[in-house]
Amino acid sequence: MASAAAAASASARRWRWRWKWRTRDAVLALLIASVLAPPLLLYGGAPIPPFSGPILIGSAASGLDLSNLIARKEVRERLNALKQDAFATVREPIQMVASDAAALKAGLIQHIVDQSSGIDRGTTDNGMVTSVNVKGGVEFTKENGLIDDGKLRENKVRAMRNAGGLNITLNKDHTADRPPEKTTDTTSEDSDIRAISNNTSHSTAPPDSTIRVLRDQLKRARAYIGSLSSRGNHGFIKDLRRRMRDIQQALSGATSDKQLPKKYYLSHRYTKFFTVGISDDDLCLVSGVHGRIREMELTLTKVKQVHENCAAVISKLQATLHSTEKQMQAHKQETNYVTQIAAKALPKRLNCLAMRLTNEYYSSSSNNKHFPYKEKLEDPKLQHYALFSDNVLGAAVVVNSTIIHAKTPANHVFHIVTDKLNYAAMRMWFLENSQGKAAVEVQNIEDFTWLNSSYSPVLKQLESHFMINYYFKTQQDKLDNNPKFQNPKYLSILNHLRFYLPEIFPKLNKVLFLDDDIVVQKDLSALWSIDLKGKVNGAIQTCGETFHRFDRYLNFSNPLIAKNFERRACGWAYGMNMFDLAEWRKHNITDVYHYWQEQNEHRLLWKLGTLPAGLVTFWNQTFPLDHKWHLLGLGYKPNVNQKDIEGAAVIHYNGNHKPWLEIAMAKYRKYWSKYVNFDNVFIRECNIHP
């Protein structure tokens, strides 16, 4: 009896044990099935097609046979969220639907592999990729090293194979016109890698295309904000401004694509969608720059859809254009005014040079204040130069460059006339710096007692109330707001002294007049042998320059000007002029000059200046010289031909950019500075350098 009970008890235990193991086996079998089912379905269903891009799984993949597509480029375009012509650097599927957390995570990894590797649906960025660190976020920097192409493709295929539940919905507009095709089976991972390697196209993107896209979006957003603010669309304005801050943060002063942030973080737009079932370590898997571009583009598209009133936009743009034009005009006037001040103001270094030379002149003994070769000053057989200037350094360069290139320096005589303020400095410079056998004379204009207001109409006009009001009244009371004609240099009689050459040099027959902003590069002796054909003034004509015609300087609405001159007559240039003083005296040119100055007392014939006065004074009395003698434009033209500069006998820095100013054109300064003696003690003390 006892044995039977024991047997029954043992049998019951065996049944319970077997039932317990059967239950565990069933649970274990279900677990194994749940684990193995996705890979089996993946390998047994539609395999990975051999093309570069996101893998299609499920219903989207079953209807497409990507292996039979002829043009893989068209497939990539169908997978792009943005059109190819709009953003070449931003390509991704339009919508991603995650079936579970694992599939979503795998899809995000695939997205980052594409973005980080630079292979963005067929686009590479130098082929450079760095490490992927899921735990600490995804960071792609060149400092962490490189991953070769084989390892990159292998990681890409593994990421795509893990995306078992990732579905990608294509835009109907891209798929409606294509029939469903059957996919081919490819189960080998190595074959998948080879397929991707063979079919990944590397197109060359335009340089800095992402920077241009970001800036273009900012411009469009600002335009929309300006038009939306008048319609009360505060919601769109708030959204646009938030997107603009994102774009500006992404730019952060970058000027090229290489300077854009290399770190990628999850954008706030995807936060709610991606946080379900994903750990905190995997939230750094969306491209920040590209994500912000997509967000801004979506916002701009929404604004464009609701902003249908084009009339408001046109009105706003017209108002903006009008305001911009007014600002541009104001800036032009301000720039012109400042440029005129910079061009005509005396630089501190030149003022220092004049002051030191003046102090040295008056502190030195009187025995050293006489120039040699006085007997040459009135010899008509020699070659005489007239130079009227208050610029010591400019006059020094003119004399120095002329003597250096002269074949017989002993035949050259320089007559320099300056004002009382710079007389001592000018004399001291040429006394200290010997010119060899060439003769130099420095005169003070105050010593010309015959030049007074009773003889010269110009001096009389400068003392008139009209001219005083013109120069010394406030800007609002002036008749002309152009600062060029408010230049105080026109108050100086030095500027008009060129019209009194026969009075200054009564015993000379020919004089070569030179400005102080020229440089002599060749021997000028041949100019004295040129036959001027009975003309008084030998100068180069400026017909090639449209602004050097007569109508640019003279007021042809005045009957007196229209009657005596031709509107389109060729002008000529001051700077290097050969004057025949014998013919000058014969035709009473000084009286002609006085007549026209009296007619222009109220500035109705021309504005201030000596060139308009010269045009009317030497009308039909100018002989055209060859252009090789005198080259213009180094003070305002940025594109003077270098061969023309090197071949010219005289180069002229006419314009605002004088070579001794800070605003001088650097590429032309060297032709002038090589004739400055920078070893001179006065030059060094005043910190004048090339």
Side-chain angles (χ1 to χ4, degrees):
M1 193 70 177
S3 60
S9 176
S11 177
R13 286 196 300 271
R14 284 196 300 272
W15 274 104
R16 287 195 301 271
W17 183 259
R18 291 176 181 175
W19 178 255
K20 181 177 180 181
W21 276 104
R22 289 176 181 175
T23 304
R24 292 179 179 176
D25 291 343
V27 173
L28 183 61
L30 290 175
L31 290 174
I32 294 173
S34 64
V35 173
L36 298 179
L40 291 176
L41 290 176
L42 177 62
Y43 286 96
I48 298 175
F51 82 105
S52 175
I55 192 68
L56 300 180
I57 299 177
S59 61
S62 62
L64 295 174
D65 186 7
L66 300 180
S67 63
N68 294 329
L69 291 177
I70 298 175
R72 294 183 178 87
K73 182 177 181 180
E74 297 181 1
V75 177
R76 291 194 298 273
E77 292 178 354
R78 292 169 59 191
L79 294 178
N80 289 337
L82 300 175
K83 293 183 179 181
Q84 184 74 14
D85 58 350
F87 298 98
T89 59
V90 184
R91 304 187 181 104
E92 70 169 5
I94 294 176
Q95 182 180 2
M96 294 189 300
V97 181
S99 60
D100 55 21
L104 175 61
K105 179 177 178 179
L108 291 175
I109 294 175
Q110 164 64 20
H111 175 72
I112 294 303
V113 169
D114 285 349
Q115 296 286 348
S116 64
S117 63
I119 307 175
D120 203 343
R121 316 293 188 265
T123 303
T124 61
D125 186 12
N126 301 329
M128 301 181 68
V129 185
T130 57
S131 61
V132 179
N133 182 7
V134 177
K135 183 175 181 179
V138 181
E139 180 175 351
F140 303 100
T141 58
K142 296 181 181 180
E143 292 80 1
N144 293 336
L146 300 175
I147 297 179
D148 58 10
D149 292 341
K151 185 176 295 184
L152 172 61
R153 291 191 293 270
E154 182 179 353
N155 292 338
K156 184 174 181 180
V157 171
R158 288 174 179 172
M160 290 192 295
R161 286 196 175 279
N162 292 333
L166 185 64
N167 297 327
I168 299 177
T169 304
L170 299 177
N171 194 324
K172 293 181 180 181
D173 295 339
H174 295 278
T175 58
D177 56 344
R178 297 183 179 274
E181 299 179 0
K182 188 175 181 180
T183 58
T184 58
D185 294 338
T186 306
T187 59
S188 171
E189 180 173 315
D190 295 335
S191 64
D192 290 334
I193 296 175
R194 288 194 300 271
I196 291 176
S197 175
N198 294 333
N199 292 281
T200 300
S201 64
H202 299 266
S203 62
T204 303
D208 303 329
S209 57
T210 305
I211 288 287
R212 290 197 294 269
V213 168
L214 293 171
R215 291 175 178 171
D216 178 70
Q217 287 185 335
L218 282 177
K219 293 178 182 178
R220 292 160 57 194
R222 291 191 183 101
Y224 278 127
I225 285 180
S227 59
L228 288 174
S229 59
S230 60
R231 302 181 61 190
N233 296 287
H234 302 294
F236 284 111
I237 293 176
K238 184 177 180 180
D239 196 14
L240 268 179
R241 286 177 176 170
R242 182 169 64 252
R243 304 302 181 211
M244 289 174 64
R245 286 194 297 269
D246 292 343
I247 295 295
Q248 290 170 349
Q249 184 180 5
L251 282 172
S252 63
T255 58
S256 63
D257 288 357
K258 294 182 179 181
Q259 297 177 358
L260 289 173
K262 297 300 187 298
K263 295 185 178 181
Y264 297 80
Y265 302 101
L266 182 64
S267 176
H268 62 79
R269 180 172 178 265
Y270 300 102
T271 304
K272 295 182 180 179
F273 181 73
F274 286 145
T275 50
V276 180
I278 305 178
S279 64
D280 295 337
D281 294 335
D282 299 330
L283 288 180
C284 300
L285 297 175
V286 175
S287 170
V289 175
H290 292 173
R292 291 171 183 178
I293 291 177
R294 290 192 302 272
E295 293 170 4
M296 176 61 88
E297 192 63 27
L298 291 175
T299 303
L300 292 174
T301 303
K302 293 178 183 179
V303 173
K304 183 179 180 181
Q305 292 174 354
V306 300
H307 189 70
E308 299 176 354
N309 188 4
C310 295
V313 177
I314 294 174
S315 177
K316 182 69 176 180
L317 290 177
Q318 288 178 343
T320 304
L321 179 62
H322 181 67
S323 176
T324 304
E325 288 178 348
K326 291 180 63 177
Q327 292 179 4
M328 182 180 66
Q329 285 298 116
H331 287 310
K332 281 185 176 180
Q333 292 180 359
E334 183 179 358
T335 302
N336 185 28
Y337 184 77
V338 173
T339 302
Q340 292 294 332
I341 292 177
K344 307 307 178 184
L346 180 65
K348 183 173 66 175
R349 295 184 178 92
L350 295 187
N351 182 64
C352 167
L353 178 63
M355 294 298 101
R356 288 186 177 274
L357 288 170
T358 301
N359 181 67
E360 184 67 21
Y361 180 80
Y362 287 112
S363 62
S364 61
S365 62
S366 59
N367 297 329
N368 299 327
K369 295 181 180 179
H370 301 285
F371 290 101
Y373 309 115
K374 285 187 177 182
E375 66 278 4
K376 296 182 179 181
L377 298 180
E378 295 181 349
D379 188 351
K381 298 180 181 179
L382 300 179
Q383 299 165 1
H384 295 264
Y385 299 84
L387 177 61
F388 309 142
S389 173
D390 57 358
N391 186 336
V392 176
L393 198 58
V397 169
V398 173
V399 174
N400 190 28
S401 62
T402 304
I403 294 176
I404 288 177
H405 294 96
K407 294 180 179 179
T408 55
N411 293 336
H412 295 264
V413 182
F414 296 89
H415 303 271
I416 302 173
V417 180
T418 186
D419 56 12
K420 181 172 62 175
L421 183 64
N422 295 279
Y423 175 71
M426 192 76 72
R427 286 185 64 87
M428 191 64 202
W429 175 268
F430 287 103
L431 287 171
E432 287 290 325
N433 297 273
S434 175
Q435 307 304 320
K437 295 183 179 181
V440 176
E441 177 189 26
V442 178
Q443 294 177 280
N444 186 354
I445 194 174
E446 300 292 336
D447 296 334
F448 298 158
T449 56
W450 51 266
L451 188 61
N452 49 57
S453 59
S454 61
Y455 175 70
S456 173
V458 176
L459 288 176
K460 183 178 180 180
Q461 291 170 11
L462 292 177
E463 297 174 358
S464 66
H465 292 288
F466 175 83
M467 297 300 294
I468 293 174
N469 292 336
Y470 190 84
Y471 279 106
F472 299 108
K473 286 285 183 153
T474 60
Q475 185 70 21
Q476 290 78 7
D477 297 332
K478 291 180 181 178
L479 301 178
D480 196 325
N481 289 329
N482 190 344
K484 178 179 180 180
F485 301 112
Q486 311 299 326
N487 193 334
K489 80 172 185 178
Y490 297 116
L491 290 172
S492 174
I493 193 60
L494 273 177
N495 208 37
H496 294 266
L497 202 59
R498 64 193 70 186
F499 295 102
Y500 298 99
L501 293 178
E503 287 80 2
I504 300 173
F505 310 111
K507 296 183 179 181
L508 301 181
N509 295 325
K510 277 190 175 182
V511 170
L512 184 64
F513 172 79
L514 298 177
D515 271 341
D516 59 4
D517 56 351
I518 63 103
V519 173
V520 178
Q521 300 186 128
K522 293 183 179 180
D523 181 41
L524 302 180
S525 301
L527 285 170
W528 274 264
S529 61
I530 295 178
D531 184 7
L532 298 182
K533 307 297 183 183
K535 304 296 183 180
V536 177
N537 175 25
I540 62 164
Q541 291 185 333
T542 55
C543 298
E545 304 287 351
T546 57
F547 57 87
H548 280 162
R549 301 280 182 172
F550 268 48
D551 58 353
R552 293 287 181 172
Y553 297 99
L554 305 178
N555 179 18
F556 276 87
S557 63
N558 188 291
L560 187 60
I561 294 294
K563 179 182 177 180
N564 290 278
F565 306 101
E566 296 179 10
R567 177 182 296 270
R568 299 301 295 167
C570 288
W572 46 268
Y574 270 124
M576 188 209 73
N577 304 81
M578 176 59 70
F579 289 108
D580 189 332
L581 300 186
E583 293 293 332
W584 186 310
R585 299 182 185 99
K586 180 179 178 181
H587 292 90
N588 296 319
I589 296 300
T590 303
D591 292 339
V592 176
Y593 167 71
H594 285 171
Y595 168 78
W596 284 111
Q597 283 291 350
E598 290 172 352
Q599 298 299 317
N600 193 42
E601 181 179 1
H602 297 290
R603 300 296 176 257
L604 299 178
L605 304 185
W606 66 83
K607 299 295 183 182
L608 296 177
T610 56
L611 182 56
L615 294 178
V616 299
T617 300
F618 297 103
W619 172 250
N620 291 329
Q621 293 293 335
T622 301
F623 177 82
L625 297 177
D626 194 304
H627 281 78
K628 69 179 182 179
W629 288 108
H630 188 189
L631 179 66
L632 302 169
L634 275 71
Y636 69 94
K637 281 185 179 180
N639 55 350
V640 181
N641 189 282
Q642 184 176 357
K643 291 183 178 179
D644 293 340
I645 296 176
E646 296 173 353
V650 172
I651 56 176
H652 194 176
Y653 291 84
N654 59 312
N656 290 327
H657 302 277
K658 302 299 183 185
W660 54 80
L661 298 176
E662 295 294 335
I663 61 174
M665 298 183 188
K667 61 180 180 179
Y668 301 147
R669 190 197 296 267
K670 61 183 180 180
Y671 299 105
W672 180 85
S673 60
K674 66 181 179 180
Y675 296 106
V676 178
N677 182 16
F678 292 102
D679 294 330
N680 184 276
V681 60
F682 299 106
I683 296 290
R684 293 200 311 267
E685 288 177 354
C686 292
N687 196 26
I688 298 176
H689 49 78

